[in-house]
Amino acid sequence: MHASASGKVFLAYMSEAELQNFLNNNKLAALTDKTITDKKKLLANLQQIRERGYGIEDEEIEPGAYSLAAPVKDASHRIVGTISVVGSLARIREQEDNILADLLAAAEAISHQFGYRFQSAPQKGLETGNA
């Protein structure tokens, strides 16, 4: 779970108690020399996932493999699944921006089916009705 893009997305959106339970009861085994095995580094990576809204797996499971994953959320904004793209590092990276845009749009559309509604922050000057 700590090495895959989808697994890291699940970890990123767990409650603090669930995440601590995972970290206390699971060894962060190295699957390749790029697998995150340090708890502090994993926690920093999970924070990046929450900030950018998607996870990346860069040869952490298999040399030459790369994946992107985005959360699928329900009406209560809880994660109910992920959607991901997995492929060769070279092929995914050459089209990463386009793939990522499509992946995030698909995750949002699927989340919508679960009742999720994205709430953006009010734009400056519009929160009071003044433009």
Side-chain angles (χ1 to χ4, degrees):
M1 191 150 184
H2 69 288
S4 72
S6 287
K8 289 189 285 184
V9 168
F10 270 109
L11 290 172
Y13 290 97
M14 282 183 174
S15 70
E16 186 65 29
E18 290 170 320
L19 180 57
Q20 285 307 314
N21 184 52
F22 173 84
L23 292 173
N24 291 335
N25 294 301
N26 294 278
K27 183 177 185 227
L28 302 179
L31 304 174
T32 70
D33 62 348
K34 291 191 173 186
T35 306
I36 298 171
T37 58
D38 178 80
K39 288 181 182 181
K40 287 183 182 180
K41 288 181 183 178
L42 179 62
L43 290 171
N45 186 260
L46 300 180
Q47 181 60 36
Q48 287 178 324
I49 291 168
R50 286 187 289 272
E51 290 170 2
R52 69 177 173 238
Y54 62 92
I56 296 172
E57 181 267 315
D58 185 1
E59 299 185 290
E60 294 171 62
I61 295 175
E62 180 76 30
Y66 190 83
S67 66
L68 302 166
V72 173
K73 297 180 180 179
D74 66 11
S76 63
H77 293 240
R78 292 188 57 184
I79 187 170
V80 295
T82 67
I83 183 170
S84 66
V85 174
V86 181
S88 75
L89 175 66
R91 302 255 340 218
I92 299 290
R93 291 294 300 268
E94 89 185 3
Q95 291 293 322
E96 187 168 3
D97 290 343
N98 294 330
I99 292 168
L100 186 56
D102 290 343
L103 182 73
L104 293 172
E108 186 175 342
I110 295 167
S111 294
H112 187 81
Q113 296 300 313
F114 283 97
Y116 176 80
R117 300 295 181 265
F118 179 76
Q119 296 176 343
S120 61
Q123 293 180 349
K124 188 173 179 139
L126 297 180
E127 60 271 3
T128 60
N130 300 328

